[in-house]
Amino acid sequence: MATQYSISGTTAKGIAASVERGVSEGELAPGDALPPVRRLADELGVSPGTVATAYKELRRRGLVVTRGRGGTVVAEAPSVASRRPPRVPEGLVDLAGGHPDPAFLPVLHPPAEVRPVFGSHRAAPRLAGLEELTRAWYARDGVPAERVSFAHGALDCIARLLSVELRPGDAVAVEDPGFHHLLDLVPALGLRMVPVAVDREGITPDALRTALRAGVRAVVCTPRAQNPTGASLSPARRDALVELLREFPEVLVVEDDYTAELSGPAAPTLAAAGLDRWAQVRTVSKRLGVDLRWAGVAGDPVTIARHDGRMLMTSGWVSHVLQETVAGLLTDQATVRLVAAGEVAYAERRGALAGALRTYGIRSAEGTGMNLWVPVRDESAVVNGLRTQGWWVAAGARFRIAAPTGVRITTAALDPADAERLAADFAGVLGDAQATYGG
């Protein structure tokens, strides 16, 4: 534990509040160890049971984690001080953020006129035009669209789905490696994460079987362009996973289809398989703009009703100004063409770097999307080495639970002409002794 911060309190609630205060004020940093239960009990003059209860509450709320013999430490992303991405040092090429290229995002033009209404929009939270567009978007890929709703982005929606379905201490199966913000969110909700391995075709049946038999209450997964690996479900993999899930009809399956294209061929999806409990979340932030905090969600009747019931009691609805903006962009032909151009460019840029790395014997995970996952033995050495060459990439630790080490490179804004230079620098950082990696 950081020596400059002293935990205080004579009750479990007071001790937990003291630790939370230290975390929120930055006096206790991620990874800092808390004192052993008996030692802190002696220092505060309370029973060990009081300290143990405080630590249990802190774990439930996602502020600390227990690492066996390593003791209790502050979580990497404590719920009271969620990590902000580090500022990119001046002069470096930012390939760490996971963001789309602004060149392929439309300029946002909110509706010029929004007339005031009497009261609130709780009675009619969804604009009919956008609801119709959302249903068509889902139906295009064979996802049942009889019941759809809206939320303030994917994580807002997933958090609501999990919080109304599960209770603190319940287990959730998550992809490993997976979306780092989701890996932060699940423990912050007081839920336990069960990692499920991912290969080029998505989550693996063996790993999902183990998680289901271990008693997970929900599964959160990505049907395509999985973050960070780029994996997408194949028809055969989708069928194998559905066969497993049918044995556990009470488990809620949440798909985060965050890169669902606005055009293009249908993709295999668990949401179209007729499961008892399911929801699929789709957003537009990667294709239309990161400031568009809107998500559509389709699901079974019970799941959508629970989501809407909780939303009714909190924010009530998504801003109609925002809804009008999204609806306008979805139907604007210039925007549709811009998005289509972006899809082509993103595939070209990802492929260019993957190909350049292969010429140096460096294999990356196969897939699609805006990111490239490259297995490495020493994440810190690679990240720091590339930094000296002018590149800023993301260490894989943010995305992993038990998965092997790696780094994530966002290729969305990487000029294909620069791919060869980055690959050469990457190979130089690895050195002759680490020239080849499995993908």
Side-chain angles (χ1 to χ4, degrees):
M1 186 187 74
T3 57
Q4 68 270 27
Y5 187 79
S6 178
I7 299 174
S8 61
T10 57
T11 65
K13 183 177 181 180
I15 295 169
S18 175
V19 173
E20 179 174 351
R21 185 166 55 251
V23 173
S24 64
E25 293 176 354
E27 298 293 332
L28 288 172
D32 281 350
L34 302 188
V37 169
R38 291 190 178 277
R39 186 205 306 167
L40 183 58
D42 290 341
E43 292 175 358
L44 299 178
V46 300
S47 71
T50 298
V51 176
T53 299
Y55 283 11
K56 180 179 180 180
E57 172 64 15
L58 291 167
R59 283 194 300 272
R60 185 188 70 79
R61 295 176 48 222
L63 274 74
V64 303
V65 295
T66 299
R67 295 178 174 170
R69 293 183 179 180
T72 300
V73 302
V74 177
E76 288 300 318
S79 57
V80 297
S82 184
R83 288 175 297 186
R84 299 289 183 183
R87 186 179 298 277
V88 180
E90 186 175 352
L92 298 189
V93 179
D94 183 8
L95 303 177
H99 304 304
D101 186 344
F104 299 108
L105 298 177
V107 176
L108 302 183
H109 295 285
E113 182 179 273
V114 178
R115 294 185 176 275
V117 300
F118 178 77
S120 74
H121 290 295
R122 275 184 165 82
R126 294 180 294 278
L127 291 178
L130 183 55
E131 186 169 352
E132 182 180 349
L133 289 168
T134 303
R135 291 184 192 279
W137 194 14
Y138 279 112
R140 185 207 68 189
D141 287 348
V143 177
E146 291 81 7
R147 293 170 177 83
V148 299
S149 191
F150 300 162
H152 304 90
L155 288 174
D156 170 75
C157 187
I158 293 171
R160 191 173 297 107
L161 291 169
L162 295 179
S163 64
V164 298
E165 186 71 24
L166 281 64
R167 296 292 176 266
D170 285 345
V172 180
V174 297
E175 296 166 328
D176 183 24
F179 182 36
H180 58 295
H181 288 309
L182 177 69
L183 302 187
D184 294 343
L185 173 65
V186 172
L189 294 174
L191 306 172
R192 293 185 294 112
M193 291 191 295
V194 176
V196 177
V198 176
D199 64 14
R200 59 181 292 185
E201 297 179 82
I203 58 176
T204 65
D206 287 345
L208 179 61
R209 182 183 296 107
T210 299
L212 291 169
R213 291 177 176 174
V216 298
R217 295 282 311 282
V219 178
V220 182
C221 58
T222 312
R224 51 185 156 187
Q226 192 263 356
N227 188 355
T229 68
S232 296
L233 289 177
S234 66
R237 175 61 56 82
R238 186 271 312 274
D239 293 345
L241 297 177
V242 168
E243 183 178 354
L244 279 174
L245 291 165
R246 291 198 191 284
E247 300 176 20
F248 300 85
E250 72 285 356
V251 172
L252 174 63
V253 177
V254 180
E255 282 190 311
D256 179 9
D257 198 5
Y258 76 104
T259 60
E261 298 87 355
L262 303 182
S263 60
T269 170
L270 300 176
L275 299 173
D276 286 1
R277 300 298 313 282
W278 65 276
Q280 189 185 89
V281 185
R282 292 187 171 189
T283 59
V284 295
S285 60
K286 296 296 186 185
R287 295 299 184 262
L288 299 181
V290 296
D291 199 39
L292 289 174
R293 312 312 299 167
W294 173 87
V297 55
D300 69 85
V302 172
T303 299
I304 295 299
R306 290 178 177 177
H307 171 275
D308 286 357
R310 177 62 61 86
M311 191 166 186
L312 183 67
M313 292 185 291
T314 52
S315 59
W317 69 92
V318 176
S319 163
H320 279 205
V321 176
L322 178 57
Q323 291 188 47
E324 290 277 14
T325 303
V326 173
L329 290 170
L330 293 178
T331 54
D332 178 68
Q333 290 306 304
T335 298
V336 171
R337 290 191 294 271
L338 184 64
V339 169
E343 293 290 342
V344 173
Y346 294 145
E348 178 186 0
R349 293 170 183 182
R350 189 181 192 279
L353 180 58
L357 289 171
R358 282 196 298 272
T359 64
Y360 290 92
I362 303 170
R363 295 184 59 192
S364 57
E366 297 183 29
T368 61
M370 300 180 179
N371 301 297
L372 195 67
W373 179 257
V374 186
V376 299
R377 295 176 188 171
D378 189 332
E379 295 176 359
S380 296
V382 171
V383 170
N384 291 329
L386 289 177
R387 178 176 179 174
T388 65
Q389 300 298 321
W391 308 103
W392 186 252
V393 303
R398 301 177 63 195
F399 309 90
R400 298 185 293 103
I401 302 174
T405 51
V407 296
R408 191 193 75 170
I409 304 174
T410 298
T411 56
L414 178 65
D415 190 321
D418 292 330
E420 171 59 33
R421 181 167 65 89
L422 173 55
D425 289 341
F426 202 114
V429 167
L430 292 180
D432 293 339
Q434 298 180 347
T436 304
Y437 295 85

